Amino acid sequence: MTVLDWLMDSDPSLRWQVLQDLSNAAPEAVTAERARVATEGWGARLLALRDEDGQWAHGAYFPAQGDRPDGGRAESGRAEGDGPEGGGADDAGGDTGWDRVPQPWTATTYSLLLLRDFGIDPRSEQMRQTIALVRDKCRWEEGGQPYFQGEVEPCINGMTVALGAYFDQDVDGVVSRLVSGQLGDGGWNCWAESGAVVSSAATTINVLEGLLAHERVTGGSAQSVDARRRGEEYLLERGLFRRKSTGAVIDPAWLTFSFPTRWHYDVLRALEYFRSTGEPPDPRVAEAVEVLRSKEQPDGTWLLENTHPGIVHFPVDDGDGRSSRWNTLRALRVLDWYGRAV
């Protein structure tokens, strides 16, 4: 069995992306396979777990009290593990403790992000009904705002913008907030409200993904396009994983690959972002690409290496240390993008 055959021996959510990105499949075949995501396999299973009001686990970012495995105790409302100081003199990173706390991944935000990863058709009847309910009924735990108005943390707002763009919702106000909250070094940090003055790669990648998705749908503004370019430069100046000042690896965990990525940053996620821009690779991603190549297994697959702990609806891979269809798909399309350009 070839790697392509192995990838195709999976769920519709993965198969349609293999057809689109790694084969010469006809557009109508891709469209037909994608349409199955809402009615078969993981996509249909996740939709079936939705609450009647359109939410999952009765919460926007965290499950409601009765749905939490900890009985309602949220360790942190923060989306990531960078403290108020930003984790370093010139680059945020490293383990400050928050990212060791298992976070439940079953509420609305991460359920919608997973459906987006699956590539569910946002125009399907199932998603139109769901998003209308989320828009009208879902409120943020932080301040009770309607879901697509966003909240205070740029990491979460980056996700919100990405979801709003994907599911055809107005998130212009959230984009403006993100642009105004960009830090002096070009990135963003979820702890800016607490005094962070240097950026975090995890927050920055979430914001960049959101701004790019919004720009594709609306064209963006001069300000949002400039903010995205500056955010890209923040990552590129660091070769995607090294300190700007010393060249040291900022966080060894960034060299291990997860799926779903949740709010976390790693090199494969960053490379996927730059691939998704549709632009030729910047020469400064070359070392990160070599890291990716070094992870290829003898059978041509990539492993799942760093599952982020927390309760999930159901697994979509076979566990850490085993070949991952999702990471293999993502790695192959990054290498295809890089190889064609180089």
Side-chain angles (χ1 to χ4, degrees):
M1 178 183 290
T2 67
V3 172
L4 196 63
D5 291 335
W6 175 70
L7 290 173
M8 289 295 292
D9 184 24
S10 184
D11 188 82
S13 60
L14 202 142
R15 281 199 299 266
W16 84 264
Q17 297 184 61
V18 175
L19 289 172
Q20 174 182 266
D21 299 331
L22 300 180
S23 74
N24 295 316
E28 53 269 25
V30 175
T31 299
E33 190 64 32
R34 186 182 186 189
R36 299 172 63 186
V37 176
T39 58
E40 301 178 29
W42 293 325
R45 184 176 177 185
L46 186 51
L47 282 170
L49 295 171
R50 196 201 77 188
D51 306 326
E52 288 186 4
D53 63 1
Q55 300 185 92
W56 279 262
H58 304 285
Y61 192 79
F62 286 105
Q65 182 169 336
D67 294 273
R68 289 182 187 159
D70 60 5
R73 174 178 51 85
E75 297 287 353
S76 169
R78 294 293 170 187
E80 62 181 278
D82 297 315
E85 304 309 316
D90 63 344
D91 309 288
D95 181 359
T96 61
W98 291 118
D99 49 1
R100 291 196 300 264
V101 178
Q103 176 179 335
W105 308 112
T106 52
T108 302
T109 295
Y110 289 105
S111 299
L112 289 175
L113 287 170
L114 192 54
L115 287 169
R116 184 200 59 172
D117 287 339
F118 291 164
I120 196 167
D121 186 346
R123 299 163 297 182
S124 66
E125 184 61 28
Q126 296 91 333
M127 286 315 308
R128 287 202 304 266
Q129 291 176 359
T130 296
I131 294 302
L133 287 167
V134 170
R135 181 187 64 233
D136 296 341
K137 297 181 179 295
C138 188
R139 298 290 186 270
W140 289 107
E141 293 87 356
E142 172 267 324
Q145 313 93 310
Y147 189 83
F148 290 107
Q149 290 183 15
E151 53 121 89
V152 298
E153 297 186 6
C155 180
I156 297 174
N157 282 340
M159 300 177 196
T160 307
V161 169
L163 291 172
Y166 190 84
F167 292 112
D168 193 27
Q169 298 299 303
D170 180 5
V171 286
D172 290 354
V174 192
V175 170
S176 296
R177 201 174 317 151
L178 288 171
V179 170
S180 67
Q182 190 168 27
L183 297 177
D185 58 10
W188 288 264
N189 193 315
C190 242
W191 290 82
E193 292 281 326
S194 300
V197 295
V198 298
S199 295
S200 149
T203 301
T204 299
I205 195 65
N206 281 283
V207 173
L208 287 176
E209 289 170 352
L211 292 179
L212 179 63
H214 180 263
E215 189 177 319
R216 283 179 166 165
V217 172
T218 69
S221 65
Q223 293 78 15
S224 68
V225 172
D226 178 67
R228 181 174 68 82
R229 295 294 189 185
R230 290 180 59 212
E232 290 175 354
E233 192 65 18
Y234 170 81
L235 296 179
L236 290 168
E237 286 178 336
R238 293 156 177 80
L240 307 189
F241 65 94
R242 293 193 179 277
R243 291 196 181 277
K244 187 177 176 181
S245 57
T246 66
V249 174
I250 297 173
D251 188 339
W254 294 359
L255 306 182
T256 61
F257 305 147
S258 62
F259 186 86
T261 55
R262 314 300 186 186
W263 56 258
H264 294 266
Y265 178 89
D266 64 48
V267 163
L268 178 53
R269 182 175 183 179
L271 287 170
E272 273 259 274
Y273 165 79
F274 283 102
R275 178 197 69 86
S276 71
T277 66
E279 298 179 0
D282 187 287
R284 290 171 289 182
V285 307
E287 188 182 12
V289 170
E290 289 309 309
V291 170
L292 178 62
R293 283 188 173 133
S294 74
K295 299 277 188 165
E296 183 178 0
Q297 301 301 297
D299 62 358
T301 67
W302 276 258
L303 304 180
L304 181 65
E305 300 177 290
N306 187 24
T307 296
H308 303 298
I311 190 167
V312 299
H313 291 297
F314 50 84
V316 294
D317 247 325
D318 293 331
D320 285 1
R322 305 184 68 177
S323 292
S324 161
R325 285 182 171 87
W326 283 108
N327 281 349
T328 300
L329 164 66
R330 297 165 66 223
L332 287 174
R333 62 190 178 194
V334 164
L335 292 178
D336 178 65
W337 161 73
Y338 189 79
R340 281 187 286 109
V342 172

